[in-house]
């Protein structure tokens, strides 16, 4: 009876050791990736090595009890003990551990000495792996574990190809895996825009899974989030994977923008080169790369843009347009001030430039006395000039305001 029990225990030891080996590169059955992490579902039997950065509060198994340990060992203290080793992708070896050098085990088995590099091993029924410090979850038989990791995340990556009055836009997702050892091979991968709280108030969003049954490769909006269903995706350790989500062409407007404060004087500044178009498809938060005829113009960053909304991006400074500002009048007239600013815009390029000069007003109780150039009062804090400047042309703008002083309250 005792011998039979030993055989059963030995069989269980080997089975669990093999499960450890198989789970080193086990495929995830499904992954839901957010901007700040991912929820992973994996099927396993008996024992499973979790990623090192797993969020313990997020761990859930479906239908089975489980327990979690962090197996560690001082390997030298095990010398002289009987050991069972799994090595070389699943090969097994039993014997006595006689030495450990440079991560290799010297094992005496059947009168011969073997030198192996272990993937995992068992001593006196306690399991260890070469991933010391990694949490290991044990469960009673076949089960699915759901857990969250911050090391797997995604962001939008958009390419805008400028073609005069049109833009070709390619919308993609850049999936990043920061884990140095864990690969994710998911048969059902979904991306959700935005961040989710993985700590304290974290919940495994079981209600998301049926709600995310969207057309493969398509996107939908649900409660303010974009959702993309990608199907099978493999993300290697310490890897980046780009997935194209959509593409479209849109009418494009080109202009320049300089934001400044009223009374801010400067010799020469370059405005930002701006492009504006309508999003024909949903566009996630992320980096926008801007090109023209194969030439890289610059990078910008956008927040989430729903389909049908306008997108405005900057490629950086326009080196052909220079703007100068000076204060030409400041009078204290007792109950009010009078102030005047002048701006000079010159186009050194060979094409017409539209310049938007956005001026932030430092007062709320102001009125315009005189001006040079057409302006628009956006609100009590902002005024805008929109001016066309031909090649080689210099355009002068001015704004003279009267500011009523606030009475002191005693």
């Amino acid at each position: 009876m005792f011998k039979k029990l030993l055989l059963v225990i030995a069989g269980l030891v080997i089975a669990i050791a093999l499960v450890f080996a198989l789970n080193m590169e086990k495929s995830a059955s499904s992954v839901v990736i957010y901007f700040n992490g991912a929820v992973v579902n994996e099927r396993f039997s008996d024992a499973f090595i979790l990623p090192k950065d797993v969020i313990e509060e997020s761990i859930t198994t479906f239908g089975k009890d489980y327990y979690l340990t962090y197996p560690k060992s001082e390997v030298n203290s095990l010398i002289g003990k009987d050991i069972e080793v799994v090595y070389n992708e699943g090969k097994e070896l039993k014997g006595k551990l006689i030495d450990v050098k440079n991560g290799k085990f010297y094992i005496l088995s059947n009168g011969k000495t073997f030198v192996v590099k272990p993937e995992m091993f068992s001593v006196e029924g306690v399991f260890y792996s070469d991933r010391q410090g990694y949490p290991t979850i044990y469960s009673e038989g076949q089960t699915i574990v759901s857990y969250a990791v911050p090391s797997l995340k995604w962001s939008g990556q958009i390419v805008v190809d400028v073609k005069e009055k049109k833009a070709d836009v390619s919308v993609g997702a850049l999936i990043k895996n920061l884990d140095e050892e864990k690969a994710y091979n998911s048969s059902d991968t979904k991306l959700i825009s935005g961040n989710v709280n993985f700590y304290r108030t974290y919940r495994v969003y079981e209600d998301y899974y049926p709600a995310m049954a969207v057309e493969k490769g398509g996107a939908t909006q649900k409660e303010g989030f974009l959702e993309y269903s990608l199907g099978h995706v493999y993300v290697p350790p310490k890897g980046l994977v780009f997935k194209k989500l959509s593409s479209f062409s849109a009418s494009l407007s080109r202009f320049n923008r300089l934001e400044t404060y009223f009374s801010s004087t400067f010799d020469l500044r370059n405005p930002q080169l701006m492009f504006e178009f309508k999003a024909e498809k949903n566009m996630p938060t992320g980096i926008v790369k801007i090109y023209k005829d194969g030439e890289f113009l610059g990078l910008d960053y956008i927040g989430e843009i729903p389909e049908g909304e306008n997108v405005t991006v900057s490629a950086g400074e326009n080196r052909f347009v220079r703007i100068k500002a000076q204060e030409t009048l400041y009078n204290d007239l007792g109950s009010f001030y009078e102030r005047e600013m002048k701006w000079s815009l010159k186009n050194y390029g060979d094409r017409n430039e539209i310049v938007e000069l956005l001026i932030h007003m430092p007062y709320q109780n102001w009125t315009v006395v005189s001006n040079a150039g057409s302006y628009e009062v956006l609100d009590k804090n902002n005024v805008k000039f929109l001016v066309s400047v031909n090649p080689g042309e210099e355009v002068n703008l001015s704004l003279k305001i009267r500011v009523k002083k606030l009475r002191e309250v005693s």
Side-chain angles (χ1 to χ4, degrees):
M1 180 69 179
F2 182 70
K3 186 174 181 181
K4 185 176 181 180
L5 180 61
L6 286 178
L7 289 173
V8 170
I9 293 173
L12 180 62
V13 166
I14 294 171
I16 293 178
L18 285 171
V19 166
F20 265 110
L22 291 172
N23 276 287
M24 285 293 186
E25 293 296 334
K26 184 166 178 60
S27 298
S29 57
S30 70
V31 177
V32 180
I33 309 175
Y34 300 87
F35 287 160
N36 64 331
V39 177
V40 183
N41 289 279
E42 305 204 50
R43 187 181 300 277
F44 73 102
S45 296
D46 301 318
F48 184 82
I49 300 173
L50 291 156
K52 200 166 192 175
D53 66 338
V54 66
I55 299 169
E56 289 185 13
E57 294 87 347
S58 72
I59 298 171
T60 305
T61 62
F62 295 94
K64 301 289 182 180
D65 293 331
Y66 71 93
Y67 67 92
L68 184 71
T69 64
Y70 285 80
K72 297 181 180 179
S73 68
E74 289 293 335
V75 177
N76 289 333
S77 68
L78 303 178
I79 293 175
K81 295 186 176 181
D82 290 335
I83 190 170
E84 296 185 27
V85 175
V86 176
Y87 68 101
N88 197 17
E89 298 183 353
K91 291 184 178 179
E92 302 168 41
L93 178 65
K94 298 180 182 180
K96 186 181 294 293
L97 182 63
I98 57 175
D99 201 0
V100 178
K101 291 180 180 178
N102 300 320
K104 295 181 179 180
F105 284 16
Y106 291 72
I107 298 173
L108 182 63
S109 178
N110 295 325
K112 297 181 181 179
T113 300
F114 297 84
V115 182
V116 298
K117 184 173 177 57
E119 294 169 356
M120 58 195 57
F121 54 95
S122 171
V123 176
E124 296 177 351
V126 178
F127 291 90
Y128 306 93
S129 88
D130 63 338
R131 299 184 181 185
Q132 296 302 308
Y134 282 74
T136 303
I137 190 168
Y138 297 84
S139 183
E140 299 176 352
Q142 276 278 334
T143 200
I144 295 175
V145 60
S146 176
Y147 60 89
V149 285
S151 54
L152 185 63
K153 56 189 70 177
W154 80 283
S155 61
Q157 190 167 96
I158 298 116
V159 175
V160 177
D161 189 7
V162 175
K163 301 180 184 298
E164 289 303 324
K165 296 184 179 181
K166 191 183 78 169
D168 290 334
V169 182
S170 175
V171 181
L174 189 65
I175 304 170
K176 301 180 183 181
N177 180 14
L178 304 179
D179 193 302
E180 295 185 351
E181 296 189 40
K182 172 71 175 177
Y184 292 93
N185 191 10
S186 169
S187 60
D188 181 16
T189 307
K190 295 182 175 67
L191 308 179
I192 297 182
S193 68
N195 299 321
V196 66
N197 192 347
F198 287 122
Y199 297 92
R200 293 178 182 266
T201 58
Y202 174 88
R203 297 179 186 84
V204 176
Y205 285 15
E206 297 172 48
D207 56 328
Y208 264 65
Y209 300 126
M212 291 191 304
V214 298
E215 184 179 351
K216 187 172 181 179
T220 63
Q221 278 189 280
K222 182 183 186 305
E223 298 177 357
F225 290 102
L226 296 180
E227 300 175 6
Y228 296 93
S229 181
L230 303 183
H232 177 265
V233 174
Y234 174 77
V235 189
K238 207 71 177 175
L240 298 177
V241 173
F242 176 80
K243 290 289 182 180
K244 189 171 181 179
L245 303 176
S246 63
S247 61
F248 60 88
S249 293
S251 297
L252 182 80
S253 60
R254 179 186 189 275
F255 65 99
N256 301 275
R257 176 185 290 162
L258 179 68
E259 294 189 43
T260 184
Y261 284 94
F262 190 88
S263 77
S264 174
T265 63
F266 49 86
D267 287 334
L268 290 171
R269 286 187 186 173
N270 298 85
Q272 294 289 308
L273 176 59
M274 312 295 296
F275 297 96
E276 189 172 79
F277 57 92
K278 182 183 287 187
E280 301 295 337
K281 302 284 187 181
N282 292 319
M283 297 176 66
T285 298
I287 290 173
V288 180
K289 302 176 184 178
I290 306 167
Y291 289 84
K292 186 178 187 303
D293 299 327
E295 177 188 0
F296 176 71
L297 298 183
L299 282 178
D300 203 358
Y301 185 86
I302 62 169
E304 188 171 293
I305 308 290
E307 180 180 330
E309 295 294 319
N310 285 336
V311 185
T312 303
V313 293
S314 170
E317 293 184 350
N318 186 334
R319 63 185 185 273
F320 298 113
V321 180
R322 307 301 296 272
I323 301 175
K324 180 179 180 179
Q326 59 179 328
E327 187 169 35
T328 56
L329 177 68
Y330 182 96
N331 284 336
D332 186 343
L333 301 176
S335 61
F336 58 87
Y337 300 104
E338 274 193 352
R339 306 187 71 167
E340 184 178 45
M341 289 294 300
K342 290 186 176 181
W343 299 272
S344 174
L345 294 69
K346 187 166 183 180
N347 182 359
Y348 292 88
D350 58 3
R351 60 173 293 163
N352 176 268
E353 299 285 358
I354 304 297
V355 180
E356 178 185 284
L357 183 62
L358 184 61
I359 303 164
H360 304 299
M361 307 300 288
Y363 314 101
Q364 294 187 358
N365 52 337
W366 53 272
T367 56
V368 175
V369 176
S370 64
N371 63 286
S374 179
Y375 69 92
E376 178 185 359
V377 178
L378 302 177
D379 52 49
K380 60 186 177 182
N381 297 114
N382 296 284
V383 173
K384 181 176 77 174
F385 284 94
L386 188 63
V387 59
S388 175
V389 188
N390 292 317
E393 183 182 13
E394 184 172 336
V395 174
N396 294 302
L397 308 172
S398 70
L399 201 62
K400 184 179 180 181
I401 65 171
R402 181 171 290 174
V403 184
K404 187 177 181 180
K405 292 183 180 178
L406 298 175
R407 287 189 295 176
E408 295 183 4
V409 179
S410 58

